Amino acid sequence: MHLQVDSVSKRFGHGSSSKLVLDRISFDLHSGEFVALVGSSGSGKSTLMRLIAGLDQPSAGSIRIDGQPVRRPGPDRGMVFQKYSLYPWLTAAQNVAFGMALQGRPRAEIRERTAFFLEVVGLADAARRLPRELSGGMQQRVAIARALAADPRVLLLDEPFGALDIQIRETMQEFLHRLWSQTGLAALLITHDLEEALLLADRVHILAPSPGRIVRTVTVDHDRGAMGQLRVSPAFLALREELACCLRSLEPATGR
Ligand SMILES: Nc1ncnc2c1ncn2[C@@H]1O[C@H](COP(=O)(O)OP(=O)(O)OP(=O)(O)O)[C@@H](O)[C@H]1O
Ligand SMILES: [Mg+2]
């Protein structure tokens, strides 16, 4: 799988009241890679994710998967959003099964894959529970199981842990890293959390806001074996601080 985002711009509205939200964004993502884009609120992260998902079209530039332009949502892209996007009236298992049923898979296969992916995310015991009976972290794990069960080639994650408190977020980051390293999937993470991006991704693109554009790209090659130790290692903290400085310098003046 090769995702190519090539000089993508997005403008909303027309004429003098129009707004350029993304300005010539380019990057690549291959199978087995983990790429993150970090930017402040309003830098166009979700807009970019919607374009890659095929929910909207770029104003200029192109998005291709294995050379084919992305025109609509497809099963090759598994999405996980910030807000819990589970159907509240369906159980965890039914939520995981839903996408596979839409794909027209045989019922026995759906049952088997649902059980398998709930097990993968550690929620085999929660199969029959409704979303409201699950914690936020558990709901996001169901959303990840649902995305994985449809057998995507790239996992698109838009602030997947943004609504979780810090301890759960750290557990989920470790979980996502293990999952990704075991599956060999391509993963694209969009986040405003620099630490999260540096912990998880091989490559981190820094987005400047208004309009959203990539101003810096860092290749991260630290050993992620022990994420808890990595978080506090001097080299990691130094890189994080340097980039935090870069991000702060990009904030538009607020006039306050
Ligand atoms: N459909 C739309 N029509 C007009 N403007 C839009 C539309 N969608 C997004 N925008 C504008 O584009 C800009 C970027 O929004 P976007 O949601 O992509 O940012 P974000 O980086 O995801 O922010 P956050 O971190 O808060 O989620 C905002 O100024 C927003 O108002
Ligand atoms: Mg967003």
Side-chain angles (χ1 to χ4, degrees):
M1 197 290 310
H2 180 198
L3 168 71
Q4 286 168 285
V5 176
D6 186 14
S7 209
V8 163
S9 296
K10 181 67 181 175
R11 182 179 288 281
F12 287 112
H14 298 282
S16 58
S17 63
S18 76
K19 183 176 175 192
L20 184 65
V21 169
L22 293 173
D23 185 15
R24 288 165 293 170
I25 303 280
S26 296
F27 65 91
D28 286 87
L29 171 64
H30 295 88
S31 297
E33 288 181 333
F34 199 129
V35 165
L37 280 105
V38 186
S40 56
S41 184
S43 57
K45 302 184 298 296
S46 295
T47 301
L48 178 62
M49 205 53 128
R50 287 175 54 79
L51 298 179
I52 297 170
L55 295 166
D56 199 356
Q57 297 297 314
S59 309
S62 69
I63 299 174
R64 289 166 202 272
I65 293 183
D66 292 334
Q68 297 298 315
V70 164
R71 299 197 197 286
R72 59 185 74 83
D76 52 347
R77 284 148 287 151
M79 306 276 302
V80 180
F81 299 98
Q82 169 174 1
K83 300 274 164 47
Y84 311 133
S85 47
L86 302 177
Y87 298 109
W89 60 89
L90 298 180
T91 64
Q94 288 165 338
N95 266 286
V96 174
F98 189 82
M100 290 190 283
L102 286 185
Q103 290 177 330
R105 290 177 188 254
R107 287 176 63 159
E109 183 186 324
I110 293 177
R111 240 190 332 268
E112 195 179 311
R113 288 178 71 84
T114 298
F116 176 78
F117 284 102
L118 280 174
E119 179 84 47
V120 166
V121 299
L123 288 176
D125 293 343
R128 290 166 192 277
R129 287 158 73 180
L130 291 167
R132 66 164 181 272
E133 300 168 324
L134 302 173
S135 70
M138 291 163 93
Q139 290 186 44
Q140 279 312 67
R141 280 187 283 158
V142 175
I144 292 171
R146 180 175 62 183
L148 291 174
D151 203 15
R153 302 173 71 203
V154 52
L155 202 51
L156 303 176
L157 304 147
D158 186 356
E159 307 251 14
F161 310 139
L164 304 177
D165 66 41
I166 184 74
Q167 279 90 17
I168 299 177
R169 201 182 314 160
E170 291 187 359
T171 311
M172 291 294 287
Q173 288 162 351
E174 283 166 29
F175 161 77
L176 177 62
H177 173 66
R178 262 199 320 278
L179 193 71
W180 166 77
S181 54
Q182 285 161 7
T183 56
L185 269 174
L188 179 64
L189 169 73
I190 295 208
T191 180
H192 66 264
D193 184 338
L194 179 59
E195 178 183 69
E196 179 166 284
L198 290 173
L199 281 171
L200 291 168
D202 307 312
R203 222 158 37 250
V204 177
H205 300 289
I206 306 279
L207 274 179
S210 310
R213 59 204 188 279
I214 293 175
V215 289
R216 189 157 165 196
T217 297
V218 231
T219 303
V220 188
D221 56 2
H222 39 236
D223 173 17
R224 296 190 183 78
M227 211 175 257
Q229 284 165 27
L230 179 59
R231 280 178 211 277
V232 293
S233 79
F236 181 83
L237 291 173
L239 178 62
R240 197 186 86 178
E241 189 44 44
E242 184 199 335
L243 294 175
C245 229
C246 167
L247 272 170
R248 275 194 296 272
S249 72
L250 297 169
E251 285 305 305
T254 57
R256 269 179 286 158

